[in-house]
Amino acid sequence: MNNFFKYVFLGGIFLLHSLEISFASIVSTGDFNKDFFVTWSPSHVNTSTDGRSRSLKLDQESGSAFASNDMFLFGQFDMQIKLVPGHSAGTVLAFYLTSDQPNRDEIDFEFLGNVLDQPYILQTNIYADGFDNREERIHLWFDPTKDFHTYSVLWNLHQIVFMVDFVPIRTYRNHADKGVAYPRWQPMSIKMSLWEGSNWATNGGKDKIDWSKGPFIASFANYTIDACIWKGNARFCRANSETNWWNKEELSSLTWMQRRLFKWVRKYHLIYDYCQDYKRFENNLPKECYLPKY
């Protein structure tokens, strides 16, 4: 009987430990006050009483920004965003992951402010080991200022997938074995910022910000962070386990349905792809441009 209770006790401890591990990756509380801190201009950051929603403001005085308390190595990051409405030319709203190192890794969503009644442009970019020049741009197929939409990054050992309402708009595969830099060792934090980019953001910088249309406000809500918190051990985050579900083999490429959606975006909404810019790269496109995207 004593052995029976001993095994029950040890089994209970094992179960609790397993549950702890299983839920260790789900780090978001849904409360901006608990998961993020303000990094720029607190007077321009407004958070709801319950912490479930937050807004950033840009005016002639300042832009604004906030960042995650934790750093992560692989996972999925979903953020619901409602973009700056009206005439927002010259503004830039960024939702991105960054390692903040000299040879930084970075995964960027950048929403480029637009002239009233023109389609919003979403630019994505990737830094890998300090190198960027990997921009792509699409026209969003809806008005992102009318309601919240979900913008997501899946980042694992195999690929990076940018998604809009869970539709894959871009992939960046891990071709490190072929000499292509890939973000895989540096932990990254989540950052959001709203700032002026008049010199480049809208129509190549021809349409400047009109401060009389401000203040410019973007809103955030209902985020999810399901990722490996960086504790100084890359091996733990790189492991293929139940906890690190994003590293599983079935997430090493796009599914059949995702491929159909991906091709639809590329056919009807893509307006710039660095892999098609032969002039910029003097007919020497980056190596990954000739490698599979999924």
Side-chain angles (χ1 to χ4, degrees):
M1 184 64 73
N2 288 338
N3 284 338
F4 172 77
F5 283 115
K6 178 182 177 181
Y7 292 134
V8 170
F9 176 72
L10 291 175
I13 290 178
F14 177 78
L15 177 61
L16 288 173
H17 182 63
S18 299
L19 289 172
E20 181 182 359
I21 292 175
S22 298
F23 291 103
S25 67
I26 305 174
V27 299
S28 58
T29 64
D31 186 337
F32 283 95
N33 290 321
K34 293 181 179 179
D35 293 329
F36 297 90
F37 66 99
V38 176
T39 57
W40 181 21
S41 190
S43 64
H44 286 54
V45 180
N46 183 52
T47 308
S48 63
T49 303
D50 62 4
R52 298 291 165 176
S53 61
R54 173 169 284 181
S55 65
L56 293 178
K57 181 171 72 172
L58 167 66
D59 58 21
Q60 284 181 286
E61 178 185 332
S62 179
S64 50
F66 60 96
S68 62
N69 295 325
D70 293 308
M71 299 190 77
F72 311 95
L73 187 63
F74 306 126
Q76 182 160 317
F77 311 85
D78 307 321
M79 181 68 69
Q80 289 196 353
I81 306 174
K82 183 161 62 173
L83 300 186
V84 176
H87 188 96
S88 58
T91 68
V92 179
L93 176 68
F95 162 43
Y96 60 111
L97 305 173
T98 181
S99 65
D100 284 330
Q101 299 297 321
N103 60 328
R104 78 182 185 272
D105 290 338
E106 193 166 290
I107 303 170
D108 298 341
F109 277 108
E110 293 177 312
F111 303 91
L112 310 184
N114 68 330
V115 176
L116 188 64
D117 296 328
Q118 294 298 311
Y120 237 101
I121 292 176
L122 167 56
Q123 174 172 284
T124 56
N125 195 10
I126 289 176
Y127 286 74
D129 199 24
F131 296 97
D132 67 333
N133 296 329
R134 302 293 188 266
E135 299 94 344
E136 292 187 6
R137 293 183 176 186
I138 66 168
H139 277 145
L140 291 170
W141 52 91
F142 52 84
D143 185 343
T145 72
K146 298 297 185 184
D147 204 351
F148 286 94
H149 291 267
T150 303
Y151 303 90
S152 307
V153 171
L154 170 66
W155 170 36
N156 62 29
L157 285 168
H158 315 287
Q159 62 177 346
I160 295 167
V161 183
F162 294 83
M163 293 175 281
V164 176
D165 290 333
F166 304 104
V167 172
I169 64 166
R170 177 180 182 177
T171 62
Y172 186 85
R173 292 199 59 75
N174 184 351
H175 290 300
D177 60 334
K178 299 177 178 65
V180 177
Y182 183 82
R184 54 187 173 141
W185 296 107
Q186 298 186 68
M188 295 195 267
S189 60
I190 308 167
K191 294 190 175 182
M192 273 68 57
S193 60
L194 179 59
W195 44 283
E196 181 190 357
S198 283
N199 61 329
W200 68 276
T202 310
N203 196 17
K206 294 178 182 178
D207 294 303
K208 310 296 184 183
I209 200 165
D210 182 353
W211 294 112
S212 70
K213 306 294 186 184
F216 304 98
I217 297 174
S219 303
F220 304 82
N222 298 327
Y223 63 89
T224 301
I225 305 168
D226 195 346
C228 186
I229 302 176
W230 176 251
K231 299 293 186 183
N233 187 345
R235 186 177 301 174
F236 175 77
C237 292
R238 294 168 63 85
N240 187 346
S241 65
E242 288 301 317
T243 305
N244 300 348
W245 59 265
W246 47 83
N247 284 333
K248 289 185 175 297
E249 186 63 30
E250 55 263 36
L251 292 171
S252 64
S253 186
L254 299 182
T255 66
W256 174 80
M257 180 57 71
Q258 285 179 319
R259 293 180 188 190
R260 291 191 62 183
L261 293 169
F262 178 77
K263 291 177 180 178
W264 172 77
V265 172
R266 312 292 287 184
K267 181 176 181 179
Y268 295 105
H269 300 284
L270 182 70
I271 57 174
Y272 176 80
D273 180 356
Y274 74 99
C275 280
Q276 299 174 5
D277 197 338
Y278 291 91
K279 181 179 180 181
R280 178 183 183 183
F281 292 99
E282 299 178 344
N283 292 320
N284 187 25
L285 294 175
K287 186 179 295 185
E288 68 269 15
C289 294
Y290 301 101
L291 297 170
K293 292 187 179 295
Y294 50 77

